[in-house]
Amino acid sequence: MCESTPAAAASTTYRILALYRFVPLVSQPDLGSVGHDGNNEEPAPKERNDEVGVESQPELSPEPERHPALRNLQRELYDALRPWQVRGTLLLAPEGINGTICYPFPTRESVDAPPSEDPVFAYLKGHPLFGGADLRTRLSFWKDYCDEASNYDFPDPASSGCVQEKIQQLKQPQQAFQRLKIKIKAEIVTMGLGRPPCGDSRDADCLPSPTRDCRVNTDTPHPTSPSLRHHENQKCNPLLTKGQYLSPSQWDALCIANPDVLLIDTRNTYEVDIGTFDGAIDPKTKHFAEFPNYLERLAGQYDWSSYKDSNSSQAESGDHREMHVGPDHVECNNDRKERKKAPPKAIAMFCTGGIRCEKATSYALQSNLFPKNMPIYHLEGGILAYLDYVSTQKNYDKRSNEDVIDGAETNGPKSSFHGECFVFDKRVAVTEGLRPSKKYVPCYGCRGPMDKRLLLSPNGNTSGDKNDAAECKQSTIPSKYQNLMQGIPNLPALHYDPYTKQYYLPGLTCPRCHDGTTRESLERFAQRKEQMEICEREGKSHFHDGKLVGCQ
């Protein structure tokens, strides 16, 4: 549904607030009393034994999505945040809160105002259920909106009377999200430990693992029943244990420059592709729920007995974390053992904002995959904190240089992070100082980062960028793509990108996702794109949150 787009005030800028905290929002005894049926039916009524005056059946707690405590919190947050025109996504779960939101701030001059003068920040930081000093936050500003117009390859202004109007629209402040969504989930970041056993057709994302029993056990309750899911999630509960924090100022010296530290990027491949730290390992995961399987495979590559022998006290190293194999594979395992690598002396993990590493290091410490005395670190605040720190230090050194030595240059901190950091909003990615990306735009299909050059005309634009991707002639299009596109109206011409050696449809798919796009999805993408173009021509917004204050 198209809605009229109100003009943004010229003095308005936007604050983007990322936050998370692991804190019990639902009591554990309440979750533990859930039955093993795993269905969505209402709890069974209590039965009383009049002879003894006690209840013979405990009351069953609902699924997390139906738990009254979480539902009440969801309604409270909607009512509190909508008057401030907040948009974004917040996730609520029994284990805590996680999300990123964006909201208008009065003037550009006040972007440096302290958080105490920010009513949204003050409300969330002071919330009695999840606020306080342990609520981890990261503030940034959506203030480079005027540069967004340069991200598009506009035609000659004389060819269209709407071009100048479009440019002026892009120069208005832009919200980083389309609407406010507050969702109730089983986890605030999905580790996936409560999923069905490997081989169960009910879980398409579960990957085989050499240390997991891949047989379906029909004698046990379904693992997605609330009580078992809660039990499995305790194996990666940061409230019980987690890795040791390293601040951005400590990170390079203790991890990047140390060859004895195994550095693991816990993010997904599409995030790693556009930027990561020097020497970091890419787990090649598509979803974070695949990370436990990856960690198990990784642990099997090392001979942990040499790590055990290298310590002065063998008793401190605890259990030896060998890969589990059957008796028929002992000889084969011995052959593999000779080829295993020498273990690292420590493990360090990082992610975008820190929340995934809290779970990843917690699982590593509780999974019996590594020696008990193996140091496991993670970057406090994630890549965003590191990029913010590097920018701050460079600015400080620059000011100090100007004050002390006129014309000289000091050696500021050199960033060990190369590329850009993907974020889940309209900025797509950020660089040092959390400045929005000028290189990437979101793919319309997979929403992942897409190089802006792929949307430019073949001759490039005024910025000097050039698109080397070529439009495919009908005779050269592979038959599977011809069948995929046949009969779908208003599709753009298929292009081939020589850098990735992949095909894509500009504005609908990207080289990363086109090969896996189904015909049904492509039809849906094309229809939605047509609706958005109609709304754009009529000066209306395709996305509309009718529950916002003033829009009801």
Side-chain angles (χ1 to χ4, degrees), residues 333-397:
N333 185 58
N334 289 336
D335 293 338
R336 286 202 310 270
K337 191 173 182 180
E338 296 177 358
R339 298 193 298 269
K340 288 186 177 181
K341 299 181 288 187
K345 294 182 179 179
I347 294 176
M349 303 184 189
F350 64 91
C351 59
T352 303
I355 185 171
R356 280 180 277 190
C357 287
E358 298 237 5
K359 277 209 165 184
T361 58
S362 178
Y363 178 76
L365 289 167
Q366 298 183 69
S367 61
N368 294 334
L369 292 172
F370 307 101
K372 289 183 178 179
N373 63 337
M374 163 75 76
I376 297 180
Y377 306 108
H378 56 126
L379 177 58
E380 185 174 15
I383 301 170
L384 298 181
Y386 180 88
L387 294 176
D388 212 4
Y389 163 78
V390 170
S391 176
T392 301
Q393 288 300 112
K394 286 184 176 180
N395 290 335
Y396 175 80
D397 290 344

Side-chain angles (χ1 to χ4, degrees), residues 194-401:
R195 61 188 184 277
C198 293
D200 193 334
S201 60
R202 291 170 291 191
D203 183 21
D205 293 332
C206 189
L207 302 179
S209 169
T211 59
R212 280 198 180 135
D213 185 0
C214 292
R215 296 169 297 177
V216 179
N217 187 347
T218 57
D219 297 330
T220 59
H222 195 286
T224 55
S225 66
S227 61
L228 288 187
R229 182 169 57 197
H230 173 72
H231 174 73
E232 288 294 316
N233 287 343
Q234 297 310 298
K235 296 179 181 178
C236 61
N237 185 354
L239 295 175
L240 300 178
T241 184
K242 60 187 175 185
Q244 179 181 340
Y245 285 128
L246 290 180
S247 67
S249 61
Q250 299 172 305
W251 183 251
D252 285 350
L254 295 180
C255 296
I256 305 299
N258 191 344
D260 294 325
V261 174
L262 184 67
L263 188 61
I264 304 175
D265 193 333
T266 65
R267 301 174 302 157
N268 300 317
T269 296
Y270 64 89
E271 301 172 80
V272 180
D273 285 345
I274 69 170
T276 190
F277 282 104
D278 288 334
I281 297 175
D282 177 9
K284 303 293 184 183
T285 57
K286 294 182 179 180
H287 309 282
F288 187 56
E290 298 174 5
F291 191 78
N293 292 289
Y294 161 76
L295 209 59
E296 292 172 4
R297 294 192 298 268
L298 178 71
Q301 298 176 12
Y302 296 94
D303 180 10
W304 296 110
S305 62
S306 61
Y307 179 89
K308 181 177 181 180
D309 295 338
S310 66
N311 289 275
S312 58
S313 173
Q314 293 188 5
E316 292 181 357
S317 62
D319 298 333
H320 181 54
R321 309 325 191 195
E322 288 286 352
M323 303 290 282
H324 301 291
V325 294
D328 296 336
H329 299 82
V330 172
E331 181 178 354
C332 178
N333 185 58
N334 289 336
D335 293 338
R336 286 202 310 270
K337 191 173 182 180
E338 296 177 358
R339 298 193 298 269
K340 288 186 177 181
K341 299 181 288 187
K345 294 182 179 179
I347 294 176
M349 303 184 189
F350 64 91
C351 59
T352 303
I355 185 171
R356 280 180 277 190
C357 287
E358 298 237 5
K359 277 209 165 184
T361 58
S362 178
Y363 178 76
L365 289 167
Q366 298 183 69
S367 61
N368 294 334
L369 292 172
F370 307 101
K372 289 183 178 179
N373 63 337
M374 163 75 76
I376 297 180
Y377 306 108
H378 56 126
L379 177 58
E380 185 174 15
I383 301 170
L384 298 181
Y386 180 88
L387 294 176
D388 212 4
Y389 163 78
V390 170
S391 176
T392 301
Q393 288 300 112
K394 286 184 176 180
N395 290 335
Y396 175 80
D397 290 344
K398 182 178 180 180
R399 290 193 301 268
S400 299
N401 179 56

Side-chain angles (χ1 to χ4, degrees), residues 426-440:
K426 279 187 179 179
R427 295 174 296 174
V428 184
V430 295
T431 58
E432 290 181 11
L434 305 186
R435 292 186 294 270
S437 174
K438 295 183 179 180
K439 181 178 180 181
Y440 296 101

Side-chain angles (χ1 to χ4, degrees), residues 466-482:
K466 183 179 180 181
N467 180 12
D468 294 326
E471 181 177 329
C472 299
K473 297 181 179 180
Q474 185 66 28
S475 59
T476 64
I477 299 178
S479 58
K480 67 174 183 178
Y481 295 135
Q482 292 186 22

Side-chain angles (χ1 to χ4, degrees), residues 19 71 85 102 121 144 294 315 326 343 355 424 432 474 499 511:
L19 60 95
R71 296 285 293 274
Q85 301 296 308
C102 180
F121 183 91
D144 289 336
Y294 161 76
I355 185 171
F424 298 88
E432 290 181 11
Q474 185 66 28
Y499 289 134

